[in-house]
Amino acid sequence: DGTATLAATGGASGNPVVFGSATQSVCTVSASTVTFLIGGTCTVTADQAGSPDYYPADQVTLDITVAKLPNTISGFDAPTAGVVDEDGALTAVADSTLPVTYASTTPAVCSVAASTVSYLTAGNCMLTADEAGDDRYEAAAQEMLTIVVAKADQTITNLAAAPAAGMVGTMGTLSSTVSSGLTPAYDTSTPAVCSVAGNMVTYLTVGTCTITADQAGDDNYNAATQVTLGVTVAPGDQVITNFYADPDGGGVDDTSTLFATPGASTSPVVFSSLTADICSVTGNVVTYMDTGTCTVAADQAADANYNAAPQVTLDLTVSDATSIPTLSEWGLISMFLIMLSLGGMVIRRRDMLK
């Protein structure tokens, strides 16, 4: 953009010296003024025409070194702080008005795409701004900027239990969404009602089970605000198992002892007869009164935490004890001795007749 005045002493022809540019891309000449366009070597020429008495003068040249314009970057001073997972817009202006190029020298902390800086982890984000210049401008001196990147806040949302309601003696699966992607920690503030292990909740008693969800944070995230969930716990179901009699049936006037494994409630198992004309039950003893099928039942009442168990039944066969007489071992021995004695008498009588 600068200019200079050209001067030369002409020869004897008296004609004027004419100036020109041999490097039109670097400089132009108008009359005796040279204008510098870009940095480089400007070659100007000087010519003088001849006359009737003189030949044209030999052309002479002059090389002028054209310096590029100075170039600086300014305004590279904001933003001065950042937060993990957020982006920032970088701005700076070069004297040349050419685009400024940004880069990060701490890629583990921040990255740069065009004029946007992305904060990846907490720490110091070191940025550079460069402008390489062109034919007219020198490269600008590199500018640097340090941005302090702070930990990000995180939130816990969508805390839920599946199923949404609980029953004593059952379990549920806990889930939630943490904005940071870190793993939440679950617990309970009502340990008498429920317990928590990992992401599983176990319902212990009737009431409201309060689940808590926390995320303690790490090097890049602040601790999340605790969130809670109330789960209504209803009474659980229970069943009676292993219902049997020993012995399994009998004759009239015989008895059997009843056994059963109770459900989870604190109520006892209660036995009864559903065929009062065949058998009766007192406590856990059934007495057979007549032949047929004795049907006994086992029940267990509800308590504060469990519903009543469904009734279970057991059929026992009662036979007539006198309908099929049997001989004891002593009876068999006595019969054998009698028959043996009668046989001996027969043999002696035969001997006497002879």
Side-chain angles (χ1 to χ4, degrees), residues 25 44 55 73 127-128 130 186 193-194 205 255 270 312:
S25 62
V44 292
Y55 291 106
I73 296 172
L127 300 173
T128 59
D130 292 275
Y186 302 109
V193 179
C194 56
T205 60
T255 62
V270 177
V312 293

Side-chain angles (χ1 to χ4, degrees), residues 2-351:
T3 61
T5 301
L6 301 173
T9 301
S13 69
N15 290 322
V17 175
V18 178
F19 301 104
S21 171
T23 52
Q24 293 288 325
S25 62
V26 178
C27 55
T28 59
V29 173
S30 176
S32 61
T33 300
V34 57
T35 301
F36 305 115
L37 305 178
I38 63 173
T41 298
C42 168
T43 300
V44 292
T45 61
D47 292 276
Q48 186 179 24
S51 69
D53 297 319
Y54 291 92
Y55 291 106
D58 293 331
Q59 184 182 74
V60 294
T61 62
L62 174 67
D63 289 336
I64 303 172
T65 299
V66 182
K68 294 183 180 181
L69 294 172
N71 191 15
T72 59
I73 296 172
S74 60
F76 190 41
D77 56 4
T80 58
V83 177
V84 171
D85 289 340
E86 294 185 359
D87 295 333
L90 301 176
T91 57
V93 177
D95 292 341
S96 64
T97 71
L98 296 171
V100 175
T101 301
Y102 307 101
S104 168
T105 60
T106 52
V109 179
C110 55
S111 63
V112 173
S115 61
T116 299
V117 55
S118 297
Y119 306 118
L120 308 177
T121 60
N124 289 329
C125 168
M126 307 291 291
L127 300 173
T128 59
D130 292 275
E131 204 292 290
D134 61 5
D135 292 338
R136 291 165 51 81
Y137 289 89
E138 297 283 356
Q142 184 180 76
E143 294 292 322
M144 300 186 67
L145 174 65
T146 299
I147 298 176
V148 178
V149 182
K151 292 183 179 183
D153 292 331
Q154 59 175 335
T155 58
I156 301 173
T157 56
N158 303 321
L159 176 58
M167 292 179 60
V168 173
T170 66
M171 301 177 71
T173 302
L174 303 174
S175 62
S176 64
T177 302
V178 182
S179 61
S180 65
L182 298 175
T183 302
Y186 302 109
D187 204 348
T188 175
S189 59
T190 53
V193 179
C194 56
S195 63
V196 173
N199 68 332
M200 301 300 296
V201 54
T202 301
Y203 303 114
L204 308 175
T205 60
V206 169
T208 299
C209 166
T210 301
I211 303 296
T212 61
D214 293 273
Q215 214 306 307
D218 61 6
D219 292 340
N220 298 311
Y221 294 93
N222 297 313
T225 300
Q226 183 183 81
V227 296
T228 61
L229 173 69
V231 178
T232 300
V233 184
D237 292 329
Q238 60 174 337
V239 293
I240 299 170
T241 57
N242 301 322
F243 185 23
Y244 69 97
D246 185 21
D248 185 13
V252 174
D253 294 334
D254 288 341
T255 62
S256 295
T257 303
L258 299 174
F259 299 90
T261 301
S265 78
T266 57
S267 302
V269 174
V270 177
F271 302 106
S272 62
S273 171
L274 301 182
T275 52
D277 55 335
I278 304 296
C279 56
S280 63
V281 174
T282 302
N284 69 329
V285 176
V286 55
T287 300
Y288 306 120
M289 301 181 299
D290 198 357
T291 59
T293 298
C294 165
T295 302
V296 290
D299 293 274
Q300 187 174 13
D303 66 4
N305 294 310
Y306 289 92
N307 299 314
Q311 185 182 77
V312 293
T313 61
L314 178 66
D315 289 337
L316 304 171
T317 299
V318 184
S319 60
D320 186 352
T322 62
S323 60
I324 304 175
T326 60
L327 294 174
S328 66
E329 291 183 0
W330 285 108
L332 290 173
I333 294 172
S334 298
M335 181 178 292
F336 174 75
L337 293 174
I338 292 171
M339 293 178 64
L340 185 62
S341 177
L342 289 174
M345 292 175 62
V346 170
I347 293 171
R348 286 196 297 273
R349 185 170 179 79
R350 287 177 178 175
D351 290 342

